[in-house]
Amino acid sequence: MKIILAHSKKNTGRCVFLIVFVLTMLMLISASVLVLARIKPVFKEKVLHAARIKAIEIVNTAVNDVFDECGTEDFVRINSDGSGNVMSVSADSVQMNKLKSKVAVRISEYAEESDGTYIYIPVGSLTKYPVFQGIGYRIPVRISLDAAAKVDFDDEFTSAGINQVKHKIFLTAETEVYAVS
């Protein structure tokens, strides 16, 4: 009894194609992993920097817009006697709380509107060599920001001479910005 193994060209072609396909996919996956490992630190720094800049811009714009709508004279009441001498100065906490909430809401609104912020990562920044940093095609990356704001008032009293005190009221806005790309 003789056993004859027949190889058809059709089966051999399929095996070669399958081997080439698998090897190509493995090379592409390993190249992608290497590139992504190199991109991640550069990308993270760029996104953090862009988020900080955008957060400062959002807070400044929100505070300016709110203060344009209302005057600063509404927040402090100066009580004087009949001859015009200042007896006391008191802060209007209701107006100040309204201002705090307006600023916090405006910051959130502006953060939502900031979708479509782009950062650009030069291809040269993906290499190990410092000579190529910032050189080459700039890869656009779209980031969207989400912000949570905590707005509060601080005050400071300093001596301004005999029987005089200088009172400063500061608006402090702390924001946590979340960037998604």
Side-chain angles (χ1 to χ4, degrees):
M1 177 180 224
K2 263 186 174 179
I3 298 176
I4 300 175
L5 295 174
H7 293 288
S8 71
K9 289 185 179 185
K10 188 175 185 181
N11 287 338
T12 305
R14 285 183 185 170
C15 287
V16 170
F17 174 76
L18 186 62
I19 290 171
V20 169
F21 178 75
V22 168
L23 288 176
T24 304
M25 292 306 290
L26 286 175
M27 288 179 14
L28 286 173
I29 290 171
S30 61
S32 297
V33 167
L34 290 174
V35 167
L36 289 175
R38 185 69 187 143
I39 286 177
K40 189 174 182 178
V42 174
F43 177 74
K44 184 177 178 181
E45 286 300 316
K46 287 276 196 177
V47 169
L48 286 173
H49 183 67
R52 282 187 198 110
I53 290 172
K54 195 65 176 178
I56 291 169
E57 180 183 314
I58 287 170
V59 168
N60 287 340
T61 304
V63 169
N64 286 335
D65 285 353
V66 170
F67 273 104
D68 285 345
E69 294 172 4
C70 60
T72 57
E73 60 276 351
D74 298 336
F75 304 112
V76 177
R77 296 182 194 260
I78 300 173
N79 301 321
S80 56
D81 62 5
S83 61
N85 296 326
V86 176
M87 299 301 290
S88 67
V89 177
S90 62
D92 187 353
S93 60
V94 173
Q95 290 298 325
M96 293 175 78
N97 285 333
K98 286 181 181 179
L99 176 75
K100 282 179 9 179
S101 66
K102 281 182 184 179
V103 169
V105 166
R106 195 68 55 92
I107 288 172
S108 296
E109 288 173 356
Y110 285 159
E112 287 177 13
E113 292 173 5
S114 71
D115 281 350
T117 300
Y118 282 89
I119 60 170
Y120 298 93
I121 301 175
V123 173
S125 298
L126 305 179
T127 67
K128 294 186 221 178
Y129 307 107
V131 173
F132 297 124
Q133 297 295 317
I135 296 175
Y137 175 74
R138 296 172 18 158
I139 302 167
V141 179
R142 182 174 173 243
I143 61 173
S144 70
L145 301 175
D146 193 15
K150 178 184 172 190
V151 181
D152 206 357
F153 285 100
D154 293 323
D155 58 357
E156 177 182 294
F157 294 95
T158 55
S159 176
I162 299 173
N163 292 333
Q164 294 182 2
V165 176
K166 185 177 183 182
H167 183 211
K168 292 182 184 178
I169 300 175
F170 301 96
L171 178 73
T172 306
E174 266 182 53
T175 57
E176 286 186 23
V177 178
Y178 303 98
V180 179
S181 62

